[in-house]
């Protein structure tokens, strides 16, 4: 199953199932995404930590599942790190089927992406991380737009022309 494409003005949900989200960095990420015309919603536990490590497994799963259930959110965007595997049994895969969205992550987030594909049959996207939007370069932005907004694939050649 495929979710619709992302459009300017859509809401991107930021969660952090795999790493500690540093507020200063995420302020830049949110500003970067908003500068590209998106609205951003952050998980209510995004900046929580437990003993200097990630937010609790339940808090991270709650953030993820709340974004899944939020009909305003078009895309759930999260980065890598360590710690995503304990969330897998807590993710509401049935709700993911009912509310198809774009799921985009990188590195440790692959565990979640693979589980969504396997358990819910919803297409996921590997290769970008919210951190790119602290200061997005032309290549990364072109890839993001091509795949998630235009529904194609993108290759840059020569003078940056798409094929």
């Amino acid at each position: 199953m495929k979710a619709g494409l992302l459009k300017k003005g859509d809401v991107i949900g930021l969660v952090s199932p795999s790493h500690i989200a540093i507020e200063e960095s995420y302020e830049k990420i949110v500003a970067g995404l908003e500068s590209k015309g998106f609205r951003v919603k952050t998980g209510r536990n995004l900046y929580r930590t437990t003993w200097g490590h990630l937010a609790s497994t339940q808090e991270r799963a709650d953030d993820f599942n709340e974004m899944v259930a939020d009909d305003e959110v078009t895309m759930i965007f999260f980065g890598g790190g360590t710690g995503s595997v304990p969330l897998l049994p807590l993710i509401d895969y049935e709700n993911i089927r009912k509310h198809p969205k774009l799921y985009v992550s990188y590195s440790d987030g692959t565990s979640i992406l693979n589980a969504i594909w396997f358990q819910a049959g919803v297409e996921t996207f590997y290769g970008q991380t919210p951190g790119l939007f602290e200061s997005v370069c032309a290549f990364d932005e072109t890839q993001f737009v091509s795949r998630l907004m235009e529904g194609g694939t993108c290759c840059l050649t020569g003078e940056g022309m798409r094929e």
Side-chain angles (χ1 to χ4, degrees):
M1 173 183 334
K2 290 185 178 188
L5 295 173
L6 187 64
K7 302 179 299 304
K8 289 193 181 218
D10 281 350
V11 175
I12 295 175
L14 290 177
V15 294
S16 185
S18 303
H19 68 273
I20 296 174
I22 306 300
E23 194 165 353
E24 181 180 302
S25 293
Y26 269 77
E27 287 172 354
K28 293 175 187 171
I29 292 166
V30 169
L33 288 165
E34 288 175 342
S35 76
K36 302 303 176 190
F38 303 107
R39 295 180 294 144
V40 177
K41 186 177 280 192
T42 58
R44 64 185 162 92
N45 297 303
L46 184 65
Y47 303 117
R48 296 210 36 150
T49 62
T50 303
W51 300 306
H53 193 53
L54 301 168
S56 74
T57 301
Q58 189 62 58
E59 288 168 333
R60 291 177 287 129
D62 289 347
D63 278 1
F64 195 89
N65 288 326
E66 287 168 13
M67 291 293 177
V68 168
D70 188 334
D71 287 329
E72 187 179 42
V73 173
T74 303
M75 180 176 112
I76 300 177
F77 202 13
F78 53 101
T82 60
S84 68
V85 172
L87 271 66
L88 299 181
L90 302 176
I91 293 173
D92 187 346
Y93 299 103
E94 181 59 33
N95 220 15
I96 289 172
R97 276 191 287 280
K98 291 178 185 174
H99 301 272
K101 301 177 187 303
L102 298 167
Y103 294 90
V104 182
S105 189
Y106 179 77
S107 190
D108 187 60
T110 307
S111 298
I112 295 172
L113 296 178
N114 288 340
I116 290 169
W117 171 250
F118 183 75
Q119 297 289 339
V122 174
E123 180 179 55
T124 62
F125 299 91
Y126 172 83
Q128 293 207 331
T129 180
L132 294 173
F133 283 88
E134 282 189 65
S135 178
V136 68
C137 71
F139 176 82
D140 291 329
E141 184 176 358
T142 300
Q143 298 296 317
F144 185 90
V145 168
S146 173
R147 187 64 189 113
L148 301 171
M149 299 179 74
E150 296 172 351
T153 58
C154 180
C155 297
L156 292 180
T157 60
E159 299 296 313
M161 301 299 293
R162 288 192 252 197
E163 293 181 350

